[in-house]
Amino acid sequence: MTSAKPHLSTASLYKILEYNYFIFPPTLVLTFYVCYAVLRFKLDKLDVSSAGDWDWTTIVHVLLTSICAFTQAPPYSNVWGLCLPMRPFAYARAPLTRSFKRLRICLVTKGTNFETVVNSVHQWEALRHHSYLRFHVVIDNEDGEHLRKALPSFVQVTEVPGPSIFRTRKAKYKARALEFYRQQQNLSEEDWVLHLDEESLIDAASVQACLDFILRGEAQIGMGTIYYNGVNHWQNSFLSAAEVTRISDDFGQFQLPVRICRRPLLGYMHGSWVLINGAVENAVTWETACVAEDFWFAYNAVSRGFKFGWLHAIVREQPPETLRDFFRQRRRWYTGIFSIPNVFVRLSLMTTVIGPISFLVWPLVTLFRDRQPVPHWLFVWMLWNSVSQGYTIFVASVLQDLVTPSVSWSSMIVHAVKSVVLWPFVHLLQAFALISCLWKPAKGFDVIAKS
């Protein structure tokens, strides 16, 4: 029997990640070298030629690989995000630059996942001693009295009135609840709002990261890393592996543009674990019918010139509980992003979701047809694409398990291997969800089940 490893605290994990540029580049190169040696000299199916013949096979592979690699923004963004200096303690070590009055922690719920909300709010008990914190639960349900009674007295509950009482120009669903909350709170530049989903679990480290960002930073919007180990961790291998791919994307698609350019790529922003200054909320508002209100908000905040920063702390959430919920969740996201009137947004979404599938074409062609000579340079390039993608997913899984209690060392390796193996199938299902939105967009705002 393998004993469980001691899990790391958030602070301990980031003490390791402070030296990410010493850890990940050499281990990535070593991983590539080992895979190269094994594939080049051990697999009979590969016929690697030193010649650079441009036959039809080479042309197809180059075309597909180029589409996959160079339509990403930037190419190999997950690898760059993992290997470039993260500087997780930059805000904590910076001088004071501004002050504030209060930080509001705001959780929005329909009230259907009753136990999930109660469990999340229970984590706030340990934070009550902070005088500058205000705790809010926004219930987007006219029948929320049962949930109101179950919440502790220090939580301010806001129930969103029906459409006949509170009318908006465009806002629907969660955006409507957020817009009502914004108007009711009379936010100012001295106010900050930490937006959370109903299953988001925060702790003292999360709050401290927010305070450092507010007091010692210059950006007006912050978002941070989400791990999906709050509940049902690896109870369903496919669904847990799917969320590991999102953690991997945090290094690149989400985090890298924020770290380098002080703005997200187009509008890629999490819907939870987002810290926003009150003046920014008032300027952008939540007046949108877009069902991906987080993307819409970030897209419009970028167009207004507001600066973004990264919160180097972890909020724990959970993966969907069923494949049906997973599919519905992705369809809602893709429908919302496609509604943004920008061709680059739509192309970015399609290449991000569908593009990596081209990595699968070369192995399938190689394994299921007569051998064709592959130029050595093309072999190296395609191997690099696959190894770099698999490496970032492997690392993302390990980092998540390091801060997860009761995960043994052997289970940690098994989870990482499963994540790499299941990654292509996750992308295939996400690609199908995206394609299905092209002829039949998702309707409404599906709230998936949480436990």
Side-chain angles (χ1 to χ4, degrees):
M1 181 176 179
T2 304
S3 60
K5 65 170 180 58
H7 72 282
L8 297 179
S9 65
T10 299
S12 297
L13 178 64
Y14 279 112
K15 285 180 181 178
I16 297 173
L17 292 180
E18 187 174 16
Y19 302 99
N20 69 298
Y21 51 95
F22 286 129
I23 299 172
F24 298 127
T27 54
L28 172 59
V29 171
L30 178 61
T31 302
F32 174 79
Y33 177 78
V34 170
C35 293
Y36 174 86
V38 171
L39 291 175
R40 178 64 179 85
F41 300 108
K42 299 297 183 182
L43 294 185
D44 294 337
K45 286 291 185 180
L46 291 177
D47 187 1
V48 179
S49 169
S50 59
D53 297 333
W54 280 83
D55 57 16
W56 73 268
T57 306
T58 300
I59 294 173
V60 169
H61 287 329
V62 169
L63 179 62
L64 290 173
T65 305
S66 299
I67 291 173
C68 175
F70 295 111
T71 53
Q72 307 300 304
Y76 309 109
S77 59
N78 289 4
V79 173
W80 286 113
L82 191 63
C83 294
L84 292 177
M86 292 183 184
R87 301 177 64 240
F89 301 106
Y91 290 120
R93 295 169 180 169
L96 294 171
T97 58
R98 56 191 175 193
S99 61
F100 79 109
K101 289 182 179 179
R102 61 189 63 83
L103 169 60
R104 292 171 165 84
I105 296 176
C106 175
L107 182 154
V108 178
T109 178
K110 291 286 291 186
T112 52
N113 293 311
F114 180 89
E115 294 296 336
T116 299
V117 175
V118 172
N119 181 58
S120 297
V121 171
H122 177 71
Q123 309 299 312
W124 300 352
E125 290 277 359
L127 308 173
R128 291 181 58 187
H129 63 281
H130 295 294
S131 59
Y132 43 78
L133 290 183
R134 300 292 184 271
F135 302 92
H136 300 256
V137 170
V138 180
I139 304 176
D140 187 18
N141 188 337
E142 295 182 73
D143 187 24
E145 186 63 23
H146 181 48
L147 178 58
R148 174 193 286 273
K149 292 180 179 178
L151 298 177
S153 59
F154 71 89
V155 175
Q156 179 179 328
V157 178
T158 301
E159 295 187 38
V160 182
S164 61
I165 299 175
F166 176 64
R167 295 182 176 88
T168 59
R169 290 182 291 106
K170 298 180 180 179
K172 296 180 179 180
Y173 313 118
K174 185 178 178 180
R176 180 175 177 274
L178 290 170
E179 179 62 10
F180 178 77
Y181 177 79
R182 179 191 71 83
Q183 295 183 23
Q184 187 203 52
Q185 293 298 309
N186 295 316
L187 301 174
S188 71
E189 191 175 5
E190 292 288 304
D191 297 308
W192 292 77
V193 182
L194 176 61
H195 291 283
L196 302 174
D197 282 342
E198 55 190 4
E199 81 275 20
S200 304
L201 302 178
I202 62 173
D203 56 17
S206 311
V207 172
Q208 186 59 52
C210 292
L211 295 179
D212 291 336
F213 182 93
I214 293 170
L215 294 172
R216 304 174 188 276
E218 296 179 354
Q220 297 95 3
I221 304 172
M223 58 177 166
T225 302
I226 298 176
Y227 283 178
Y228 302 89
N229 59 352
V231 178
N232 298 331
H233 186 55
W234 282 97
Q235 294 297 307
N236 181 302
S237 294
F238 182 88
L239 297 176
S240 292
E243 302 312 300
V244 170
T245 64
R246 293 177 65 191
I247 299 173
S248 174
D249 288 340
D250 257 2
F251 294 126
Q253 184 183 48
F254 286 85
Q255 187 177 151
L256 187 63
V258 170
R259 281 160 50 191
I260 294 178
C261 304
R262 308 293 297 277
R263 57 189 290 172
L265 170 65
L266 300 172
Y268 287 102
M269 182 178 80
H270 294 311
S272 178
W273 190 205
V274 178
L275 180 66
I276 306 177
N277 180 261
V280 176
E281 291 218 17
N282 290 335
V284 179
T285 77
W286 295 96
E287 273 288 359
T288 177
C290 178
V291 291
E293 76 294 327
D294 46 1
F295 192 103
W296 179 91
F297 186 95
Y299 178 82
N300 284 276
V302 167
S303 68
R304 290 173 176 266
F306 292 115
K307 295 180 179 179
F308 288 68
W310 196 263
L311 298 163
H312 286 285
I314 296 165
V315 162
R316 294 183 295 140
E317 296 191 356
Q318 68 178 86
E321 296 185 348
T322 65
L323 281 174
R324 181 174 180 270
D325 278 348
F326 171 87
F327 194 74
R328 291 163 60 202
Q329 182 189 63
R330 265 50 174 186
R331 274 180 45 81
R332 176 175 64 81
W333 293 349
Y334 302 153
T335 297
I337 295 173
F338 259 117
S339 70
I340 302 295
N342 184 305
V343 65
F344 294 107
V345 169
R346 296 167 183 172
L347 287 175
S348 170
L349 177 62
M350 295 187 69
T351 56
T352 298
V353 176
I354 299 177
I357 296 176
S358 67
F359 283 155
L360 306 176
V361 174
W362 172 62
L364 291 176
V365 170
T366 304
L367 291 173
F368 295 109
R369 69 180 308 278
D370 294 337
R371 291 194 305 172
Q372 294 289 329
V374 178
H376 183 264
W377 62 267
L378 180 58
F379 164 70
V380 172
W381 183 26
M382 289 190 290
L383 179 61
W384 164 256
N385 288 334
S386 298
V387 170
S388 61
Q389 181 70 43
Y391 178 83
T392 57
I393 291 174
F394 190 97
V395 170
S397 179
V398 169
L399 292 178
Q400 177 175 239
D401 278 352
L402 282 174
V403 295
T404 305
S406 303
V407 175
S408 66
W409 292 107
S410 59
S411 295
M412 184 172 68
I413 300 302
V414 170
H415 293 166
V417 172
K418 283 183 177 180
S419 297
V420 175
V421 171
L422 291 172
W423 161 75
F425 303 99
V426 170
H427 264 290
L428 283 172
L429 185 57
Q430 291 185 153
F432 180 67
L434 174 60
I435 294 170
S436 73
C437 293
L438 298 180
W439 76 77
K440 188 177 181 181
K443 295 182 179 180
F445 192 102
D446 291 322
V447 178
I448 66 174
K450 308 287 176 61
S451 60

